[in-house]
């Protein structure tokens, strides 16, 4: 028998009370939302009526972006190296010009537009938004501005605009350090969009292209501002409604010493080569010169294709920064480091002597490796081997220690890798090893290859900056800094802390003293005998053209560009080094005879500038 279902009785009073509470809550929510809506309507329709009436009146409000002024660049003593100068340019809004060709022809009667300027403008026009102004001609003279202003009514959409443009007062003296700014191209825009920086360039037409200008572009550029202007139907400004000023770029101070830089440029005049000077106490670069150079001001307003082709095709390659991109065999300038490795590996000692008859042979091989002095140096030890630059001593030492030991030891000195200097144009050079040759050429490593590397030749290449940095580490007894050009940001006293790397620690610290003393003896024996300060140095002569085993090298009989490179590294004062220099003179010949005098003059300039007596 099925059970009868129980009938549930509803509490109608409770349900009515719940409904009333819910309805009341909903009513208050609706009232609150309507109040917010009415308050906003009152704000828009009553309180802000005038403002929005002006803004909505035929869309006559124009927002004009304002470019920030670019930060200035100074040397360590506050000398201005890169400035901003006022200029006038002719700007054209494409959508307001009906017949571009006819307009440009008519305009030429008042302001001359060269063929290169016209071609450049038409090419840029293909990738430009038609409602945005585009530069037609830069650097208008005051006369051109006056003539066009009188006839401007004939050219709707074209106007004269004033602005600031980068200027380098020392022309070619600092080109490879400062770099230059140039017009923003498609590649620049892509890079800015990738890093989410394009929004900061609505009114900026230039960007750093090389050197310091490129590396510190975010700091130098600043942030844009804007104007809100009311304009009439002809585009004429009636009044300015709002001004948001731009934030100027930061000024930066470099570690460069302008006087030393100018002296180095003067000493290299007419030569191909490079000079780098470093303060070993913090890694700050005092001078960085690459010769020949070029005037960066030509790039600021747009260099002509003819002038650029001339630079590009110049056999002297002025566009290359030889200080950081030039790759040279270091030659005898690295013999002190090879000797240091020999002492550490105990392949030699401070008292080791070998006999130099003028040649050296691999055991069991007939070929003779010649010394630069054909009759030899007789008995030599580590000191005389460095002071006399005895090749035989280092042939024998390289044979004993092997190329892989050399490659491993030289890595912390910075060879075969970029230094980390704050400019983008840098080559790593090459520190060879057995694995490197196998990967590069699919060939085995030969003992003869090791012998060449032992005197800084063969596959070993380095840049002048790397050479200066390695010498600074040697002078510092293993203390290392990243070479850098930035000294301070915004104010001269806001120094940026140098990047100090872990030091090189030797098993026997006395070996530092042995090698540095040998370099001091080298300097005292030659170019710095009469100097009023103590110095240390090592010269080098790097072969560019190989001669036969029994042939004699005669510079007069070969092409000038196949002659030996002259190199030198030096530092002063010996007791507490304040400056290290490295120099390469292309095809100049003997290092001691050609690079030595220049090194002496440069160190005199730096060490004796504060003394009353003239340099000796």
């Amino acid at each position: 028998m099925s059970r009868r279902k129980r009938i549930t009785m509803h509490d109608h009073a409770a349900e009515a009370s719940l409904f009333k509470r819910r309805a009341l809550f909903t009513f208050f929510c609706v009232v609150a939302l309507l109040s917010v809506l009415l308050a906003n309507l009152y704000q828009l329709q009553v309180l802000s009526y005038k403002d929005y009436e002006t803004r909505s009146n035929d869309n006559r409000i124009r927002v004009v972006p304002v470019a920030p002024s670019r930060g200035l660049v100074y040397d360590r003593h506050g000398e201005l190296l890169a400035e901003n100068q006022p200029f006038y340019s002719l700007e054209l809004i494409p959508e307001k010009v009906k017949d571009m060709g006819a307009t440009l022809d008519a305009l030429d009667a008042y302001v001359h537009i060269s063929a290169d300027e016209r071609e450049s403008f038409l090419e840029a026009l293909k990738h430009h938004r038609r409602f945005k102004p585009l530069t037609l001609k830069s650097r208008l003279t005051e006369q051109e501005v006056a003539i066009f202003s009188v006839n401007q009514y004939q050219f709707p959409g074209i106007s004269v605009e004033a602005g600031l443009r980068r200027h380098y007062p020392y022309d070619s003296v600092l080109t490879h350090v400062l770099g230059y700014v140039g017009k923003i191209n498609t590649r620049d825009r892509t890079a800015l969009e990738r890093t989410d920086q394009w929004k900061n360039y609505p009114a900026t037409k230039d960007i750093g292209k090389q050197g310091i200008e490129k590396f510190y572009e975010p700091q130098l550029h600043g942030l844009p501002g804007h104007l809100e202007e009311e304009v009439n139907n002809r585009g004429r400004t009636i009044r300015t409604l709002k001004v948001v000023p731009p934030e100027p770029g930061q000024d930066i101070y470099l570690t460069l010493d302008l006087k030393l830089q100018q002296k180095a440029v003067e000493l290299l005049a007419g030569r191909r080569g490079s000079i780098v000077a470093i303060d070993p106490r913090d890694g700050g670069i005092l001078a960085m010169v690459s010769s020949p150079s070029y005037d960066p001001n030509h790039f600021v307003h747009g260099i002509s294709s003819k002038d650029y082709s001339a630079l590009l095709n110049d056999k002297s390659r002025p566009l290359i920064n030889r200080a950081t991109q030039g790759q040279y065999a270091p030659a005898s300038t690295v013999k002190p480091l090879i000797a240091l490795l020999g002492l550490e590996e105990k392949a030699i000692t401070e008292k080791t002597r070998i006999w130099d008859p003028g040649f050296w042979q691999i055991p069991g091989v007939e070929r003779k490796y010649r010394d630069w002095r054909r009759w030899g140096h007789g008995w030599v030890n580590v000191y005389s081997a460095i002071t006399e630059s005895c090749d035989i001593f280092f042939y024998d030492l390289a044979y004993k220690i092997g190329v892989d030991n050399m490659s491993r030891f030289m890595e912390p000195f910075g060879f075969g890798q970029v230094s980390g200097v704050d400019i983008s144009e840098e080559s790593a050079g090459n520190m060879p090893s057995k694995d490197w040759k196998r990967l590069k050429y699919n060939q085995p490593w030969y003992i003869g290859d090791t012998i060449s590397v032992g005197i800084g030749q063969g596959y070993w290449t380095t840049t002048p900056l790397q050479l200066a940095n390695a010498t600074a580490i040697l002078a510092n007894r293993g203390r290392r800094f990243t070479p850098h050009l930035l000294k301070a940001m915004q104010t001269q006293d806001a120094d940026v802390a140098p990047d100090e790397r872990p030091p090189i620690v030797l098993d026997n610290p006395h070996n530092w003293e042995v090698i540095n003393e040998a370099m001091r003896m080298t300097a005292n024996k030659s170019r710095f005998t009469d100097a009023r300060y103590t110095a240390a140095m090592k010269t080098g002569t790097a072969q560019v053209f190989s001669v036969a085993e029994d042939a004699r090298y005669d510079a007069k009989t070969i092409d000038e560009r196949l002659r030996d490179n002259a190199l030198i590294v030096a530092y002063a004062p010996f007791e507490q080094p304040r400056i290290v220099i490295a120099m390469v003179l292309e095809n100049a010949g003997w290092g001691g005879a050609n690079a030595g005098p220049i090194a002496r003059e440069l160190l005199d300039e730096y060490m004796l500038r504060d003394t009353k007596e003239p340099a000796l």
Side-chain angles (χ1 to χ4, degrees), residues 272-306:
R272 296 188 309 278
S274 173
I275 294 177
V276 176
I278 291 180
D279 186 339
R281 297 170 296 181
D282 61 7
I285 295 174
L286 301 169
M288 180 186 285
V289 177
S290 177
S291 178
S293 185
Y294 59 95
D295 187 350
N297 291 303
H298 294 162
F299 285 83
V300 175
H301 294 275
I303 190 171
S304 68
S305 56
K306 179 181 178 181

Side-chain angles (χ1 to χ4, degrees), residues 294-343:
Y294 59 95
D295 187 350
N297 291 303
H298 294 162
F299 285 83
V300 175
H301 294 275
I303 190 171
S304 68
S305 56
K306 179 181 178 181
D307 290 341
Y308 183 68
S309 294
L311 288 173
L312 202 60
N313 298 320
D314 191 330
K315 292 182 179 180
S316 297
R317 305 181 73 188
L319 294 174
I320 297 295
N321 184 356
R322 285 168 161 81
T324 58
Q325 295 175 300
Q327 300 187 52
Y328 307 93
S332 297
T333 59
V334 292
K335 284 179 179 177
L337 294 174
I338 299 293
L340 182 64
L341 171 59
L343 292 170

Side-chain angles (χ1 to χ4, degrees), residues 225-428:
H226 66 268
L227 300 176
E228 291 184 10
E229 298 178 336
E230 182 180 1
V231 297
N232 60 20
N233 58 356
R234 295 186 178 183
R236 187 181 298 277
T237 301
I238 297 174
R239 58 174 171 157
T240 299
L241 302 175
K242 185 178 181 181
V243 178
V244 177
E247 183 179 321
Q250 299 182 57
D251 296 341
I252 64 176
Y253 293 81
L254 303 184
T255 58
L256 283 179
D257 184 308
L258 178 59
K259 289 183 179 179
L260 190 68
Q261 179 84 5
Q262 290 174 315
K263 184 65 176 181
V265 170
E266 175 190 329
L267 294 171
L268 281 183
R271 301 172 183 260
R272 296 188 309 278
S274 173
I275 294 177
V276 176
I278 291 180
D279 186 339
R281 297 170 296 181
D282 61 7
I285 295 174
L286 301 169
M288 180 186 285
V289 177
S290 177
S291 178
S293 185
Y294 59 95
D295 187 350
N297 291 303
H298 294 162
F299 285 83
V300 175
H301 294 275
I303 190 171
S304 68
S305 56
K306 179 181 178 181
D307 290 341
Y308 183 68
S309 294
L311 288 173
L312 202 60
N313 298 320
D314 191 330
K315 292 182 179 180
S316 297
R317 305 181 73 188
L319 294 174
I320 297 295
N321 184 356
R322 285 168 161 81
T324 58
Q325 295 175 300
Q327 300 187 52
Y328 307 93
S332 297
T333 59
V334 292
K335 284 179 179 177
L337 294 174
I338 299 293
L340 182 64
L341 171 59
L343 292 170
E344 275 293 284
E345 291 290 316
K346 297 181 175 56
I348 58 172
T349 68
E350 191 175 350
K351 297 180 179 180
T352 297
R353 295 201 311 162
I354 70 165
W355 176 254
D356 172 17
F359 65 89
W360 184 86
Q361 291 174 283
I362 299 172
V365 178
E366 292 185 3
R367 178 183 174 181
K368 294 180 179 180
Y369 291 86
R370 298 287 182 181
D371 190 271
W372 66 267
R373 180 180 288 174
R374 297 185 69 84
W375 56 87
H377 293 86
W379 288 104
V380 293
N381 59 19
V382 66
Y383 292 102
S384 56
I386 291 175
T387 57
E388 298 292 335
S389 200
C390 174
D391 290 335
I392 303 306
F393 185 92
F394 290 95
Y395 291 151
D396 185 70
L397 182 55
Y399 177 75
K400 291 176 180 176
I401 59 181
V403 69
D404 284 341
N405 278 334
M406 284 190 277
S407 180
R408 172 190 55 79
F409 186 76
M410 296 302 164
E411 182 179 344
F413 284 91
F415 293 107
Q417 55 193 300
V418 293
S419 68
V421 67
D422 41 354
I423 57 176
S424 303
E425 305 79 46
E426 185 180 14
S427 299

Side-chain angles (χ1 to χ4, degrees), residues 535-548:
M537 63 172 265
K538 184 70 189 79
T539 61
T541 305
Q543 283 188 342
V544 177
F545 173 73
S546 298
V547 297

